[in-house]
Amino acid sequence: MPAFSTYRLTFRSPLHIGERGVGLEVTRIHLPADTLFSAICSAWRQLYGVDALRRDVLDWFTDSDSLPFFLSSAFPFAGAVRFFPKPLARLSTVNVSDDDYKAFKRVRFVSEQLFTAIVGGGEITFTKEHCINGEVAWVTEDEKEQLKDWTDDATGDIVLWKTDVLPRVTLDRITSASQIWHFGEVMFAERAGLWFAVEFNRDHGDELKRKFEAVLRLLGDSGLGGERNAGRGLFNLGGPSDEPLPEVSNPNRFVTLSPVCPKDAAQAGALTREEAAYELMPRRGWVTSPEASNLRRKMVWMFAEGSVLMGNPQPHAGRLVNVKPDVCPHDVWRYGYAFPVGLP
């Protein structure tokens, strides 16, 4: 079984992670692995220089079979309770009554105990009463008791994070006419935040992990996501810890904890055969390097976290995608490797 290092991010300021929408009014609750990888590469360059970024990270991903590390996306946690994406497949071992079916469809995150039961094929029953945080997260009765300190006095709901949409005004440079726009952000409660796992390649030695953690500390003080210049996305780094992930014997499919971009048409066909269940999402965004910060990356479609894909979880499916705009002076890479948890 691979050894994982788990890191926890507890935010000191609101966070904005871009989501599909009309403008900036929508934010994600979680941090996709490709966004996290891009932030790590930018900070690696800032801390160690361009040559070190190529030597330590990018050249291994693009020109070698010995990849230095794999990332999961970052998902919510509160106290000792970690959350995972709800698998997108039809969950035949989950019993849902007709009255609770709409509530079950609204669930986006499941607790670690429930995720372990789902991937292990155990029989469980969904009840709306065990949903928290606006019914987007599902926990066990025991975990709901653990999380009671986060109960909102006004609503009686357990609230681990809140999203808000702020009005903003911009002025036309020529006419000085005002125009209103909106900005979305998520705020995590105290002792709550985001966790993610990393599988380091031991062949690259301890120096790689030391540099990786220094980069995370730099990101904590410079911020993740949008409006970093306004102080958003600052966090304290916790970990690493060696918390395991669920594991099953002889898996023939897997649920991915990170967005996946297949390396070719053959791999895409193999991943989506038979009982696969997946969601495709477009990934786009701005280039963040000093040389091309006014350019947009080329769009690429990827399988979303929670997708259930076919095949053995190892080796990791996916690739690094070059999304370089035509006029950009350098390559621009988007991370698209699976972070698999096996399913029977």
Side-chain angles (χ1 to χ4, degrees):
M1 178 181 178
F4 303 110
S5 295
T6 299
Y7 298 90
R8 296 191 179 218
L9 316 180
T10 50
F11 288 88
R12 308 195 299 268
S13 61
L15 173 69
H16 172 86
I17 301 297
E19 170 69 287
R20 280 181 294 170
V22 177
L24 298 174
E25 68 272 25
V26 180
T27 180
R28 293 179 185 271
I29 305 301
H30 76 286
L31 178 65
D34 55 329
T35 301
L36 178 59
F37 181 83
S38 296
I40 288 171
C41 287
S42 294
W44 206 294
R45 167 180 170 159
Q46 183 180 352
L47 194 57
Y48 302 114
V50 175
D51 292 341
L53 172 62
R54 291 176 181 150
R55 182 185 63 245
D56 298 339
V57 181
L58 294 179
D59 287 350
W60 291 102
F61 276 102
T62 56
D63 298 325
S64 168
D65 293 329
S66 179
L67 306 191
F69 56 79
F70 294 100
L71 296 170
S72 78
S73 297
F75 302 105
F77 78 88
V81 179
R82 292 191 294 178
F83 290 88
F84 291 73
K86 185 177 77 171
L88 297 175
R90 183 175 179 274
L91 304 175
S92 59
T93 60
V94 178
N95 303 309
V96 185
S97 67
D98 292 342
D99 292 340
D100 286 343
Y101 186 69
K102 287 185 177 178
F104 181 69
K105 290 192 69 174
R106 285 195 292 269
V107 169
R108 295 176 56 192
F109 301 105
V110 298
S111 69
E112 184 165 5
Q113 288 184 16
L114 290 168
F115 186 80
T116 301
I118 291 171
V119 301
E123 289 276 345
I124 47 179
T125 299
F126 172 83
T127 59
K128 183 179 176 181
E129 288 69 28
H130 289 160
C131 290
I132 63 171
N133 221 108
E135 299 184 356
V136 299
W138 176 25
V139 299
T140 65
E141 186 172 355
D142 174 60
E143 289 167 331
K144 192 171 183 179
E145 180 66 20
Q146 293 181 46
L147 297 172
K148 65 180 182 182
D149 289 346
W150 284 271
T151 301
D152 185 275
D153 292 336
T155 65
D157 189 14
I158 293 175
V159 179
L160 309 178
W161 64 84
K162 291 182 179 179
T163 58
D164 200 3
V165 179
L166 307 176
R168 300 283 179 81
V169 174
T170 184
L171 298 178
D172 187 285
R173 293 183 179 178
I174 299 176
T175 66
S176 296
S178 62
Q179 183 176 5
I180 193 169
W181 58 284
H182 293 86
F183 182 82
E185 59 186 23
V186 56
M187 293 153 289
F188 289 94
E190 189 176 355
R191 294 183 291 121
L194 298 175
W195 73 273
F196 69 96
V198 186
E199 180 185 338
F200 288 104
N201 186 337
R202 293 189 178 93
D203 294 341
H204 289 254
D206 294 335
E207 179 68 7
L208 175 76
K209 186 175 180 180
R210 186 189 66 77
K211 286 187 172 182
F212 184 92
E213 292 175 354
V215 165
L216 290 181
R217 286 191 289 273
L218 174 60
L219 283 176
D221 292 331
S222 56
L224 283 169
E227 289 209 344
R228 295 186 297 277
N229 292 338
R232 284 175 170 75
L234 305 177
F235 63 86
N236 294 325
L237 178 66
S241 64
D242 55 358
E243 297 168 89
L245 294 173
E247 185 182 21
V248 300
S249 302
N250 303 317
N252 57 20
R253 55 182 182 155
F254 62 89
V255 55
T256 179
L257 302 185
S258 63
V260 183
C261 184
K263 66 180 181 181
D264 52 35
Q267 187 177 73
L271 292 173
T272 55
R273 59 186 163 81
E274 300 170 351
E275 300 176 3
Y278 53 87
E279 175 186 347
L280 292 174
M281 61 177 186
R283 304 296 290 144
R284 48 171 76 92
W286 295 92
V287 180
T288 57
S289 72
E291 299 87 351
S293 59
N294 61 333
L295 300 177
R296 279 189 175 275
R297 305 177 186 207
K298 288 184 177 178
M299 189 186 77
V300 60
W301 288 86
M302 305 176 79
F303 296 119
E305 301 96 332
S307 295
V308 175
L309 303 172
M310 304 305 296
N312 194 305
Q314 300 294 341
H316 295 247
R319 62 177 170 136
L320 216 61
V321 190
N322 192 347
V323 290
K324 171 184 175 301
D326 293 336
V327 296
C328 185
H330 57 75
D331 290 332
V332 181
W333 298 103
R334 184 174 285 283
Y335 182 87
Y337 284 94
F339 198 93
V341 176
L343 289 169

